[in-house]
Amino acid sequence: MSGSEAQAKATAKTSAELTAAQAALAAEHAAVYGYGVVGARIDEGRRTEARAAYDAHRARRDELARTVRDLGGKPGPAAAAYALPFAVADAESALRLAAELEDRVAGVYSDLVRAAEGERRQAAARSLRDAAVRAVRWRGESVAFPGLAERSATATTSATPTS
């Protein structure tokens, strides 16, 4: 492989990793927003758990913003609001939303695991695992392959910003 071919391959790899990191950052922005909704509707007994998840997503969001900058990109901003996948009117629907948020975050982290190498891949794998564990806690059951859209006909991308 010539020097220019190696350079092109490295540039493509960095571009793929940057794209995956931006997608993970967008999902974390949506999760932070979503946990604000969850926290407002969740039962008092699970509010501490919701706050811990909110704090974890804020920390991951900040970490991903640094990653995007390290990869030469400009971190995408959070939207002012996001369309929720369904109405959240009570504690039961707040639990479903929390599990859905974690499933969506796990999906984008699986893409980042695939695109990254070294420490970034390890961090993405830890984030995927953490999201899968939180989803199980919220849902009360697990899925065979967290983060893979093929596992469910209802899996979608991260929440959509509203205008």
Side-chain angles (χ1 to χ4, degrees):
M1 180 180 325
S2 72
S4 61
E5 289 173 330
Q7 179 67 22
K9 188 174 180 180
T11 299
K13 177 71 175 159
T14 299
S15 177
E17 187 174 358
L18 178 57
T19 298
Q22 286 281 27
L25 175 59
E28 289 292 7
H29 283 312
V32 168
Y33 178 89
Y35 268 103
V37 175
V38 169
R41 299 286 188 208
I42 200 81
D43 288 334
E44 185 67 36
R46 301 215 53 194
R47 197 158 288 148
T48 299
E49 189 177 355
R51 179 61 184 204
Y54 173 80
D55 290 342
H57 286 292
R58 286 180 54 208
R60 292 277 162 73
R61 175 201 62 195
D62 296 346
E63 179 183 316
L64 282 164
R66 286 188 297 275
T67 296
V68 167
R69 283 191 292 275
D70 290 348
L71 290 168
K74 181 179 176 188
Y82 293 83
L84 299 176
F86 49 82
V88 181
D90 54 22
E92 182 180 324
S93 57
L95 284 172
R96 284 188 314 140
L97 177 59
E100 178 74 16
L101 292 170
E102 298 300 345
D103 286 342
R104 291 175 180 205
V105 167
V108 295
Y109 278 117
S110 70
D111 293 340
L112 187 53
V113 167
R114 194 171 26 255
E117 293 179 348
E119 176 53 38
R120 285 192 191 112
R121 174 179 271 172
Q122 292 173 3
R126 284 190 301 270
S127 296
L128 190 158
R129 180 199 61 216
D130 293 347
V133 168
R134 281 190 299 266
V136 168
R137 287 182 179 147
W138 291 122
R139 186 181 300 107
E141 61 185 25
S142 65
V143 295
F145 298 103
L148 297 181
E150 297 85 359
R151 76 183 188 289
S152 168
T154 62
T156 59
T157 59
S158 62
T160 306
T162 60
S163 15

